[in-house]
Amino acid sequence: MLTIEERQPPPAMVGTSPFIDCDVHVTIPSRESLWPFMSERWRRHDEQFAGNPPHGASYYPRASPGAARVDAWPGDGKPPGSDLGFMQEHYLDRWNLGYGVLGPLLIGGKSYSRNPGYADALARATNDWVVQDWLDLDPRLRSSIVVPYEFPDLAAAEVRRVARDSRFVQVYLQIRTSMPLGNRAYWPLYEAAVEFGLPIGVHFGGSGGPAITGCGWPSYYLEDHVGNSQTFQSQLTSLICEGVFERYPELRFVLIEGGVGWLPTLAWRLDHAFEEFRDELGHVSRKPSELIAEHVWLTSQPIEEPADPASLTELLNLYPSVLNRLMFASDYPHWDFDAPDEVLHKLKLSPSAQDRFLRLNASELYRLAE
Amino acid sequence: MLTIEERQPPPAMVGTSPFIDCDVHVTIPSRESLWPFMSERWRRHDEQFAGNPPHGASYYPRASPGAARVDAWPGDGKPPGSDLGFMQEHYLDRWNLGYGVLGPLLIGGKSYSRNPGYADALARATNDWVVQDWLDLDPRLRSSIVVPYEFPDLAAAEVRRVARDSRFVQVYLQIRTSMPLGNRAYWPLYEAAVEFGLPIGVHFGGSGGPAITGCGWPSYYLEDHVGNSQTFQSQLTSLICEGVFERYPELRFVLIEGGVGWLPTLAWRLDHAFEEFRDELGHVSRKPSELIAEHVWLTSQPIEEPADPASLTELLNLYPSVLNRLMFASDYPHWDFDAPDEVLHKLKLSPSAQDRFLRLNASELYRLAE
């Protein structure tokens, strides 16, 4: 605890003339106190978005912490996604969930601390809390391992600490890292994941430091939201170019909440560039599309929604390996939640492909018993 | 010219003990002098890539300045693309070109100077040189206007200076700008373009400052090359979100050398996000896909090359407006040049679509007489 020395009050006058203070602050007492001075349009914006970083790299809507559905509040003051009983009733039981893979999120971006000790403590505490308050209480739940991934040695240690509990089924990262994920700085973490046969799940979001586009900071949350997909493309490119999948032939990546439709085009482009720049990537011996087909899984939410849903299926059929790697995700309790029955209207699949999508792909990847 | 004062030699000794200098430099006399100490693999890399910035944001291959085809050297010591007579024989006459739109490039990235006076002088000189050495000598040639686009007031002035010459058919930017292109800082440039009915052509490349991915600097040139497409996606998103196309209903953008196949997925995603975040973008009244269909053109090289070329056509058919906006580009004299007959093997089109692609779309956009 900080202790503050008590000070004597200063003399009422300094010299004989009135003095000048060049740094005196006033504080706006509350968010609401500026509203009388704003038009309705910007008042609404203030309510929804303000408090987010100026570049929009945060969660929508502000008014709903944790970007949650308005009906996902347990009702006793707890934030959405924090009450098992409520979640069972609201989601797990209602849709007859087989297994759910938790992706623990800390409100307020705490998990990205630059303080290694604190980042580590936070990750450890989160994983222990997940065991006690979730995994031990509902046998349908599995979890991702939260790790201080910008400190890969600490992250690897945390994987090794908790991975013996087989209810932890993947290592959890966020897509906006400080460096591209292929970078060898992250390899110690991948090594730990491979030791336990765990996939690396990389989720939408994060704030690694660099501007979130290749041309600087955009202005709107929409750009942040849509722009995550571009970062997923850059990360997958990096993983391939750095030879991560050849160094760790058992390593698998799950791209969570990054969209799907960009994959065929990117794979075509990578394959062609790989032929052209073969000499630069002497350490990579296999075609990018082959590496993707073996090492990369994707989740559905938010799946692209063309005006005619058939367009999406046609697109994915151009790149058949995707359908063996695509797994259902709801993003519960977030505002853009996809229920299992909803998503099947957005993504038209044959009965067998539907079964792979809703069950089989995930149970194989995460080794979930039938 | 700098003048250097002549100095007296220092005394041979300082004090009585040998002294220590903590900063003495040696200079590697030539690129080749380290080769005896390198393996063949890294010697080759040194020859091909070294000299490029460490993050790979430059041109391939280094050994061929201007990223040129090895057969595109005029042969009298001039760099590729610098000799009209050679270009006529090697490309323009050989394929019976109707019109060619020049995109003047300065070797060594000179056009991106942060010195506003110099950047302006360089752009003006380039445009005047283009008139004298190219446009005045071959009636098939048209040109882009080079502008110091990071200083939009100067860039607008340069557009106004040269645009009365109708052989200048677009304003020329590079995709990696300092800020996303929707930013109002760039609007004065767009205003000048609209005044003269000129499209803005945005070409692969550039170095605006921010890391070239949303997760920092990648390691390999391949990542830079493939990654340009992600920046095109971010730029188009920005143009839409900032309301540029609604502020300038006559403004058209041409995305040059950024790929094509990513457009349908991005448009779907933008349309959906636009519905969800309508309130944030109160200044945008129309769906992103409608704005794209009206305001955005694309060029073909390097078109995506899936194993089965039919896949690309199928993909583009999912988003029909693309085919009314796609224009042939060869990228001559660069190493990944696409001849007109080659590209029609990569992109299977009906006869009428082929005519639009090879002629009609460009002649309408750039107002080229039949």
Side-chain angles (χ1 to χ4, degrees):
Chain A
M1 229 181 78
L2 298 172
T3 56
I4 313 225
E5 238 177 277
E6 208 175 303
R7 283 213 184 140
Q8 293 309 313
M13 285 287 287
V14 183
T16 53
S17 302
F19 72 109
I20 296 170
D21 176 351
C22 296
D23 187 25
V24 183
H25 297 282
V26 293
T27 300
I28 299 156
S30 71
R31 166 178 304 276
E32 293 78 9
S33 47
L34 291 182
W35 289 357
F37 307 96
M38 280 178 177
S39 71
E40 164 57 21
R41 193 257 175 278
W42 292 112
R43 204 199 97 141
R44 217 166 55 236
H45 184 89
D46 192 70
E47 214 171 349
Q48 289 284 313
F49 293 95
N52 284 345
H55 43 72
S58 188
Y59 302 109
Y60 171 89
R62 194 201 64 76
S64 182
R69 297 171 52 159
V70 290
D71 64 351
W73 293 78
D76 51 359
K78 289 180 173 178
S82 70
D83 182 309
L84 174 61
F86 181 88
M87 189 190 284
Q88 286 167 332
E89 195 184 323
H90 193 218
Y91 173 50
L92 309 183
D93 300 344
R94 192 159 160 196
W95 271 279
N96 190 23
L97 181 95
Y99 287 99
V101 179
L102 303 178
L105 295 171
L106 297 164
I107 289 179
K110 279 186 194 167
S111 55
Y112 323 123
S113 177
R114 294 278 172 185
N115 175 325
Y118 179 62
D120 188 39
L122 209 53
R124 296 166 69 100
T126 304
N127 294 324
D128 291 345
W129 168 81
V130 163
V131 170
Q132 177 192 291
D133 279 17
W134 298 86
L135 301 183
D136 281 353
L137 305 183
D138 190 319
R140 295 170 292 186
L141 298 180
R142 297 293 179 269
S143 184
S144 311
I145 303 172
V146 173
V147 292
Y149 49 82
E150 298 296 3
F151 312 100
D153 57 331
L154 300 178
E158 179 59 2
V159 169
R160 292 189 177 103
R161 186 180 76 91
V162 301
R164 284 178 217 287
D165 182 337
S166 65
R167 295 171 300 177
F168 285 107
V169 295
Q170 73 184 349
V171 178
Y172 206 47
L173 276 59
Q174 291 187 288
I175 197 69
R176 287 190 176 131
T177 47
S178 295
M179 289 178 293
L181 279 173
N183 194 295
R184 54 207 303 124
Y186 297 109
W187 293 3
L189 173 56
Y190 304 155
E191 218 150 287
V194 165
E195 251 173 68
F196 291 89
L198 292 173
I200 307 280
V202 195
H203 186 272
F204 178 106
S207 52
I212 65 172
T213 84
C215 49
W217 287 106
S219 307
Y220 297 102
Y221 178 77
L222 190 155
E223 297 174 81
D224 181 316
H225 180 79
V226 170
N228 267 270
S229 286
Q230 280 94 72
T231 307
F232 275 90
Q233 295 168 53
S234 303
Q235 294 283 30
L236 183 51
T237 301
S238 168
L239 288 167
I240 288 166
C241 289
E242 301 279 1
V244 167
F245 296 131
E246 303 204 311
R247 186 176 176 89
Y248 302 108
E250 307 298 320
L251 188 60
R252 293 152 302 163
F253 265 76
V254 189
L255 308 182
I256 305 169
E257 206 176 326
V260 175
W262 48 263
L263 185 63
T265 302
L266 180 69
W268 298 340
R269 203 165 164 94
L270 284 171
D271 275 359
H272 187 64
F274 180 65
E275 285 307 315
E276 288 169 332
F277 303 110
R278 201 176 258 286
D279 199 40
E280 189 191 20
L281 298 191
H283 53 287
V284 180
S285 63
R286 298 179 56 204
K287 272 171 67 168
S289 60
E290 284 175 30
L291 294 168
I292 292 170
E294 279 177 28
H295 293 272
V296 177
W297 276 248
L298 303 113
T299 67
S300 59
Q301 190 283 329
I303 199 95
E304 288 82 5
E305 301 190 31
D308 176 3
S311 303
L312 177 64
T313 318
E314 281 175 54
L315 174 67
L316 298 183
N317 280 332
L318 296 176
Y319 196 77
S321 72
V322 175
L323 292 175
N324 293 326
R325 295 295 188 246
L326 187 60
M327 308 188 292
F328 169 70
S330 74
D331 200 28
Y332 184 89
H334 290 172
W335 62 274
D336 49 353
F337 170 76
D338 264 345
D341 47 341
E342 271 173 342
V343 74
L344 295 176
H345 290 108
K346 301 178 183 178
L347 179 64
K348 303 283 187 189
L349 296 172
S350 70
S352 71
Q354 192 172 305
D355 198 49
R356 289 209 73 83
F357 168 64
L358 286 177
R359 277 171 285 272
L360 212 53
N361 290 341
S363 76
E364 287 171 5
L365 176 71
Y366 295 127
R367 300 186 193 149
L368 307 171
E370 286 295 322
Chain B
M1 231 180 74
L2 298 171
T3 55
I4 313 226
E5 237 177 279
E6 208 173 304
R7 282 213 185 140
Q8 292 309 313
M13 285 287 287
V14 183
T16 51
S17 302
F19 73 107
I20 297 170
D21 176 350
C22 297
D23 187 23
V24 183
H25 298 284
V26 293
T27 300
I28 298 155
S30 71
R31 167 178 303 278
E32 293 79 7
S33 47
L34 290 182
W35 288 358
F37 307 95
M38 282 179 177
S39 72
E40 165 57 22
R41 193 256 175 278
W42 292 112
R43 205 198 96 142
R44 216 164 58 234
H45 185 89
D46 192 69
E47 212 172 352
Q48 289 284 313
F49 293 96
N52 284 345
H55 43 71
S58 188
Y59 302 109
Y60 171 91
R62 194 203 63 77
S64 181
R69 297 170 52 155
V70 290
D71 65 349
W73 293 79
D76 52 359
K78 289 178 173 181
S82 71
D83 181 310
L84 175 61
F86 181 87
M87 189 190 284
Q88 285 168 332
E89 195 184 322
H90 193 217
Y91 174 50
L92 310 182
D93 300 343
R94 191 158 160 198
W95 271 280
N96 189 22
L97 181 96
Y99 286 98
V101 179
L102 303 177
L105 294 172
L106 296 164
I107 288 179
K110 279 185 192 169
S111 57
Y112 323 123
S113 176
R114 294 278 172 186
N115 176 325
Y118 178 63
D120 189 38
L122 210 52
R124 295 166 70 102
T126 304
N127 294 324
D128 291 344
W129 168 81
V130 163
V131 170
Q132 178 193 290
D133 279 15
W134 298 86
L135 302 184
D136 281 353
L137 305 184
D138 190 318
R140 296 169 292 187
L141 299 179
R142 297 292 179 270
S143 185
S144 312
I145 304 173
V146 173
V147 292
Y149 49 82
E150 297 296 2
F151 311 101
D153 57 331
L154 301 178
E158 179 58 3
V159 169
R160 292 188 177 104
R161 185 180 76 91
V162 302
R164 281 175 221 289
D165 182 337
S166 65
R167 296 171 299 177
F168 284 106
V169 295
Q170 74 184 349
V171 178
Y172 206 48
L173 275 60
Q174 291 186 289
I175 198 69
R176 286 189 177 132
T177 47
S178 294
M179 290 177 294
L181 279 174
N183 194 295
R184 53 208 303 126
Y186 297 109
W187 294 2
L189 173 56
Y190 304 155
E191 219 150 287
V194 165
E195 252 174 67
F196 290 89
L198 292 173
I200 307 280
V202 195
H203 185 273
F204 178 106
S207 53
I212 65 173
T213 84
C215 49
W217 288 106
S219 307
Y220 297 102
Y221 177 77
L222 191 155
E223 297 175 81
D224 180 317
H225 180 80
V226 170
N228 266 270
S229 285
Q230 279 93 72
T231 307
F232 275 89
Q233 295 168 52
S234 302
Q235 294 282 30
L236 182 52
T237 302
S238 169
L239 289 167
I240 288 165
C241 289
E242 300 280 0
V244 167
F245 296 130
E246 304 204 309
R247 186 177 176 91
Y248 302 108
E250 308 299 319
L251 188 61
R252 294 152 301 165
F253 265 77
V254 189
L255 309 182
I256 305 169
E257 206 176 325
V260 175
W262 48 263
L263 186 63
T265 302
L266 180 69
W268 297 341
R269 203 165 162 95
L270 284 172
D271 275 0
H272 188 65
F274 180 66
E275 285 307 316
E276 287 168 331
F277 302 110
R278 200 177 259 287
D279 200 39
E280 189 193 20
L281 298 191
H283 54 286
V284 179
S285 63
R286 299 178 56 204
K287 272 170 67 168
S289 61
E290 283 174 33
L291 294 169
I292 291 170
E294 280 178 26
H295 293 273
V296 177
W297 276 248
L298 303 114
T299 66
S300 57
Q301 191 284 330
I303 198 97
E304 289 81 5
E305 302 190 30
D308 175 3
S311 303
L312 177 64
T313 318
E314 279 176 54
L315 173 67
L316 298 182
N317 280 333
L318 296 176
Y319 196 78
S321 72
V322 176
L323 291 176
N324 294 326
R325 294 294 187 248
L326 187 60
M327 308 188 293
F328 169 69
S330 73
D331 200 28
Y332 183 89
H334 290 173
W335 62 274
D336 49 353
F337 171 75
D338 263 344
D341 47 341
E342 271 174 342
V343 73
L344 295 176
H345 290 109
K346 301 177 183 178
L347 179 64
K348 304 282 186 188
L349 297 172
S350 71
S352 70
Q354 192 173 305
D355 197 50
R356 289 209 74 82
F357 168 64
L358 285 177
R359 276 171 286 271
L360 212 53
N361 290 342
S363 76
E364 286 170 7
L365 176 72
Y366 294 127
R367 299 186 194 147
L368 307 172
E370 287 295 320

